[in-house]
Amino acid sequence: MSGAASTAPVGVTGRLTDLSAAQLARLLERGASPDPEVERATAAAIADVRARGDAALFDLARRYDAAVPQRLEVPREACRHALAELAPALRAALEEAAANVRAFHAAQLPDELEVEVRPGVRLGRRPEPLARVGVYAPGGRASYPSSVLMGVVPARVAGVGEVVVCSPPGPDGLPPAAVLAACALAGADRVFAVGGAGAVAAMALGTQSVPRVDKVVGPGNAYVTEAKRQLNGVVAIDCPAGPSEVLVVADATADPELVALELLAQAEHDPRAAAVLVSVGAEPARAVADALARLLPSQARREVSEASLRAAGALLVADDLEAALAFAARYAPEHLLLMLAEPRAALPRVRNAGTVFLGASSSVAFGDYVTGANHTLPTGGLARAYSGLSTLDFVRLVTYQEVSPAAAVELAPVAATLAAAEGLPGHAAAARGRAGAVGSAPTGDAADGRGRGADADYSASPRLRAAYRVIEPY
């Protein structure tokens, strides 16, 4: 790349095959090491909330939000009023987005199932909604009513008993009116003017005002993400969601201006957001660099976008589509946009991404707001192991097991043999006792497997043995 590419403040440029180890690390290890100051400040906030509860939350609001809320809990009437006073166009947009989120997440509801794995052994699984969930709606640089919808609506679809929302207060002591309106529209039960790490701590630990929840979901800044990390285990959390990121794979059919707009849309989120292009061949990358240089000066959030592109942006060139997709799998982006001649043909080869957008008309912005897919997605390469927020985050899958008396007779020696091998005679006795209750329990060495030869039949019956496939060792 040459020419205009040098005028675009992009952190890493060049062919994939020519990247240095340091450049690869810069791209692939984003977010791998928490900032020590963020860790320290977050730990201090959590400890303060644990020790002082509401009093700590008021102090944190004054310190970090420059706000003095009169009370932590927002009255329901304030949410209803915000919805009633919302601009008609914005209300209509939120209603359409909520309807789409509801439809897609309702389709994800897991079914109850029951299977008879062998005669007399019935196993089942049923979804059970969580009792209380906390949704974090970020604030700070902007107002995010869409994040309210993405957390509250799926929780409602799943049947969660109580949905609590925390969002940072503004100068008037309340979250932004659009956030409050979204809470009313989505059906939040309680709303609190609490932000940052303190909000996560309050929901995880409980305070005099904020109830303790079973799970905390929703995106946030570095302090919110770190608080979720530190409190994971005290409370369940969703996927790790840090600064926003997009990776665009584009070939010669892609409109370079549309690609540039997608990169800028992510870059304007945050100075730490990541916007990456992997170009199939060099020409698309050159054209996108020109478009970035042309469009960047007119961006309303130019300073944020420039900082983002400089810190975590990249314009990369792959020799072919396979190499581009292989790099995308290593990068594991939050958003993967395939601006290709045949994006659906490439979809089966996509391995790691929070969500995938197919084709030039499928802007990431649509997914951020209105398609109905969830925009709370794993970042920092964690799409290799995590999925985005979904209905499944708001239910537990409870299994149940029923063994008939006749099946117990056949299973008892198998269970006793395994228990004896693990040195747990009480387990063996419990299994044998069930068989004994039916009147045919083996006793002595035969019951726990002692004294058998190497070629002994350890199964209860040929029928039981046939029900299981052989598992090969690693």
Side-chain angles (χ1 to χ4, degrees):
M1 290 176 289
S2 60
S6 61
T7 68
V10 179
V12 179
T13 62
R15 305 189 74 86
L16 289 175
T17 52
D18 295 336
L19 295 180
S20 67
Q23 288 174 315
L24 278 173
R26 178 176 177 177
L27 293 168
L28 300 179
E29 296 177 14
R30 59 203 188 279
S33 301
D35 184 324
E37 176 55 29
V38 172
E39 284 187 291
R40 186 206 61 76
T42 300
I46 292 171
D48 198 15
V49 172
R50 180 180 278 113
R52 299 195 298 129
D54 284 359
L57 297 178
F58 280 110
D59 285 349
L60 290 168
R62 283 189 285 268
R63 190 184 318 161
Y64 293 108
D65 301 312
V68 186
Q70 296 300 306
R71 54 185 290 183
L72 297 177
E73 185 162 9
V74 178
R76 288 193 177 191
E77 181 52 38
C79 296
R80 288 193 288 263
H81 178 74
L83 181 60
E85 295 297 312
L86 202 63
L90 179 54
R91 176 166 182 164
L94 286 173
E95 287 173 342
E96 180 170 353
N100 292 344
V101 172
R102 188 174 296 110
F104 184 56
H105 288 75
Q108 301 171 23
L109 281 167
D111 292 326
E112 185 169 346
L113 63 86
E114 188 170 290
V115 177
E116 188 171 31
V117 297
R118 65 174 310 282
V121 179
R122 300 193 67 84
L123 307 180
R125 186 195 73 185
R126 61 181 178 81
E128 181 68 27
L130 300 182
R132 183 185 289 136
V133 165
V135 176
Y136 187 80
R141 290 186 174 87
S143 169
Y144 297 102
S146 60
S147 289
V148 175
L149 301 185
M150 297 294 175
V152 177
V153 172
R156 280 284 168 243
V157 167
V160 170
E162 185 177 39
V163 183
V164 174
V165 174
C166 284
S167 192
D172 62 353
L174 294 173
V179 167
L180 298 182
C183 288
L185 180 65
D189 294 295
R190 301 178 71 180
V191 181
F192 293 87
V194 181
V200 178
M203 291 188 284
L205 303 169
T207 71
Q208 295 88 339
S209 298
V210 183
R212 184 172 183 169
V213 303
D214 300 314
K215 189 168 191 174
V216 176
V217 305
N221 63 17
Y223 296 91
V224 170
T225 301
E226 177 61 17
K228 289 164 72 175
R229 187 188 70 82
Q230 291 188 21
L231 288 163
N232 187 19
V234 176
V235 68
I237 65 166
D238 58 349
C239 59
S244 190
E245 54 191 43
V246 67
L247 188 148
V248 182
V249 177
D251 63 14
T253 67
D255 182 331
E257 186 158 313
L258 288 181
V259 175
L261 288 171
E262 291 293 334
L263 299 177
L264 290 170
Q266 294 303 306
E268 74 173 355
H269 267 289
D270 186 284
R272 297 169 62 238
V276 175
L277 167 68
V278 181
S279 165
V280 181
E283 184 50 40
R286 280 192 288 266
V288 170
D290 289 341
L292 276 175
R294 186 171 63 254
L295 294 170
L296 188 56
S298 64
Q299 297 300 300
R301 294 168 63 83
R302 176 180 178 176
E303 289 185 3
V304 174
S305 297
E306 285 185 340
S308 168
L309 290 171
R310 188 176 294 109
L315 298 177
L316 308 173
V317 176
D319 291 336
D320 52 33
L321 180 57
E322 292 305 316
L325 294 176
F327 179 81
R330 294 180 67 190
Y331 190 88
E334 177 190 21
H335 307 100
L336 175 62
L337 172 54
L338 302 180
M339 295 186 69
L340 305 169
E342 297 183 57
R344 275 199 170 269
L347 182 60
R349 289 173 280 170
V350 170
R351 290 288 302 156
N352 305 320
T355 188
V356 185
F357 295 84
L358 304 178
S361 59
S362 302
S363 173
V364 173
F366 295 146
D368 284 344
Y369 295 113
V370 74
T371 62
N374 211 289
H375 76 198
T376 303
L377 301 163
T379 63
L382 291 173
R384 291 188 299 272
Y386 287 86
S387 302
L389 194 66
S390 76
T391 310
L392 296 178
D393 282 284
F394 301 99
V395 299
R396 293 173 292 111
L397 297 176
V398 181
T399 61
Y400 57 90
Q401 308 172 50
E402 183 179 25
V403 180
S404 72
V409 172
E410 294 191 315
L411 291 183
V414 181
T417 297
L418 293 172
E422 295 188 353
L424 297 171
H427 287 63
R432 290 195 302 269
R434 294 316 192 272
V438 185
S440 58
T443 59
D445 288 350
D448 61 13
R450 292 194 298 269
R452 295 188 175 186
D455 58 350
D457 183 357
Y458 285 84
S459 67
S461 71
R463 181 174 59 189
L464 179 61
R465 185 170 61 245
Y468 294 87
R469 65 181 176 86
V470 174
I471 301 176
E472 297 294 341
Y474 287 102

